[in-house]
Amino acid sequence: MTNAPPRAEIVVDLDAIAANTAVLRERVGRPLMAVVKADGYGHGLIPAARAVLAGGADALGVAVLDEALALRSAGVTAPVLAWLHGPGTDYSAALTADIEISVNADWGLDEVVAAAQATGRTAQVHLKVDTGLSRGGATPADWPALVAAAARAEAEGSVAVVGVWSHMAYADAPTHPTIGAQVRVFEEAVGIARAAGLTDARRHLANSAATVALPETWYDLVRPGIALYGLDPLGGDPAAHGLRPAMTVRAAVALTKRVPAGVGVSYGHTYFPERETTLALVPVGYADGVPRAAGNRAPVLAGGAQRTIAGRVCMDQFVLDVGDAAVAPGDEVVLWGPGEGGEPTAQQWADAVDTIHYELVTRVGGRFARRYVGSAGAV
Ligand SMILES: *Cc1c(COP(=O)(O)O)cnc(C)c1O
């Protein structure tokens, strides 16, 4: 049994992550903050962080402080920005761990200042302006007051404003009119911050889509996430940007059986083979992050061909109709991967189940084992 192939595994190519990082870093020719939130987009927070740093990333970006602190606990010393904090956040741990903090509002600034005073540390702060996504950040109406308060805190020595930043709504549609509008609002906000004396703040706006498609948004730092993992933020072929997908999701067939034409397959009998065929049972399901919506829609590679999942995806398993192909228990089924060996890509899955590849790679997990290949950033 010791040599038995894993039932189901997510294989992460660290060299691909490093190479993707290097490609983007080279293209932009300026600092790159690699976004490793959400467990490195499902690729593993710490290995992904080490791989992007090996590929030349200058800093790391995460959503919440726990992610930033996990990086520090693992010994990652690169600059880290964390940007999503509610009221009552314990900023003292973040300041002690040298985490840069995004501030959206005056009450958030007050909490950061209090923690700076309590710990005797100067908080490294990025002020976020809402330029049109209407998600995080201060509105243009609230921005001058936030900037003024931050400038006072900087003068007192409790904070250093090291960044002014925002996030784009539509960078994946590079000709969308909101892009120019967001850039204009951003530049006005930067001007207000500069006029208030916040002259050391670096400007950053570009996510992956903007990093590949909108050089006018690169400013002092780019902030890509998904592209580092080799997925095209524009929904096309990542190879067009010199990127290669880092994740392969595979499982071993648990059972095969010969069945007559017309049997009903899986819950609710939403699939009936038209002729006598072989069914193959694949031991992963929606509890493992395989979307239930993939039933009768998403493709997998099995027995040398792509085949659509037959019937409903169950909690722990789904079924394939492999026809007369010589598929046996233990044989490999690939859900998605780089696409270089005939397997579907995460983009194909996203199209099939009407979502985006971001959601697929961040949700797949459950009982899949994660295995790393490549050496970039390995310790
Ligand atoms: C997730 C995120 C990013 C990275 O976005 P991608 O589309 O994955 O490149 C950048 N900035 C912020 C604020 C984010 O939340």
Side-chain angles (χ1 to χ4, degrees), residues 35 37 41 83 135 165 167 207-208 223-226 358:
V35 181
K37 65 189 180 186
Y41 286 54
W83 53 69
R135 201 179 72 177
W165 72 300
H167 194 47
N207 59 3
S208 291
R223 214 175 57 238
I226 198 76
Y358 292 74

Side-chain angles (χ1 to χ4, degrees), residues 269-290:
H269 287 178
T270 61
Y271 180 82
F272 302 91
E274 280 169 17
R275 53 188 65 80
E276 181 185 313
T277 193
T278 298
L279 298 179
L281 183 65
V282 183
V284 290
Y286 60 77
D288 306 297
V290 178

Side-chain angles (χ1 to χ4, degrees), residues 16-334:
I17 296 175
N20 295 331
T21 307
V23 162
L24 295 177
R25 178 70 178 76
E26 165 80 11
R27 183 160 317 145
V28 298
R30 69 199 74 199
L32 181 150
M33 175 185 289
V35 181
V36 294
K37 65 189 180 186
D39 204 18
Y41 286 54
H43 297 69
L45 173 66
I46 306 303
R50 293 207 172 104
V52 294
L53 291 169
D58 303 271
L60 302 171
V62 293
V64 302
L65 278 179
D66 283 347
E67 296 174 310
L69 294 170
L71 288 166
R72 287 288 182 260
S73 297
V76 174
T77 56
V80 178
L81 168 64
W83 53 69
L84 190 59
H85 325 287
T89 298
D90 175 13
Y91 291 107
S92 48
L95 298 184
T96 306
D98 222 3
I99 311 291
E100 299 175 19
I101 297 164
S102 175
V103 167
N104 284 315
D106 50 5
W107 57 264
L109 182 66
D110 291 345
E111 292 189 357
V112 172
V113 167
Q117 288 165 350
T119 57
R121 300 246 174 181
T122 300
Q124 311 282 305
V125 163
H126 295 240
L127 297 181
K128 188 167 191 184
V129 58
D130 180 1
T131 54
L133 179 60
S134 304
R135 201 179 72 177
T139 63
D142 292 338
W143 181 249
L146 178 61
V147 162
R152 284 194 299 276
E154 185 167 87
E156 291 161 6
S158 52
V159 311
V161 178
V162 297
V164 168
W165 72 300
S166 190
H167 194 47
M168 303 198 69
Y170 247 119
D172 54 338
T175 58
H176 200 273
T178 58
I179 291 165
Q182 284 197 262
V183 165
R184 280 192 297 281
V185 174
F186 186 61
E187 293 190 352
E188 274 173 37
V190 168
I192 289 167
R194 295 272 191 263
L198 302 178
T199 50
D200 291 339
R202 287 193 289 176
R203 305 159 295 166
H204 52 108
L205 180 60
N207 59 3
S208 291
T211 299
V212 301
L214 299 169
E216 70 271 28
T217 66
W218 290 350
Y219 295 105
D220 302 317
L221 175 73
V222 294
R223 214 175 57 238
I226 198 76
L228 305 170
Y229 307 97
L231 298 174
D232 181 2
L234 307 179
D237 180 4
H241 311 293
L243 304 171
R244 183 165 176 272
M247 178 185 284
T248 300
V249 178
R250 57 196 287 275
V253 171
L255 177 71
T256 58
K257 63 182 75 174
R258 213 49 201 169
V259 296
V263 296
V265 176
S266 193
Y267 287 133
H269 287 178
T270 61
Y271 180 82
F272 302 91
E274 280 169 17
R275 53 188 65 80
E276 181 185 313
T277 193
T278 298
L279 298 179
L281 183 65
V282 183
V284 290
Y286 60 77
D288 306 297
V290 178
R292 187 167 178 277
N296 290 322
R297 290 162 85 186
V300 304
L301 176 65
Q306 287 193 14
R307 308 168 194 281
T308 302
I309 291 171
R312 290 202 183 133
V313 172
C314 311
M315 187 182 295
D316 320 301
Q317 47 199 310
F318 65 78
V319 178
L320 295 174
D321 177 351
V322 299
D324 296 327
V327 173
D331 284 1
E332 176 183 68
V333 173
V334 185

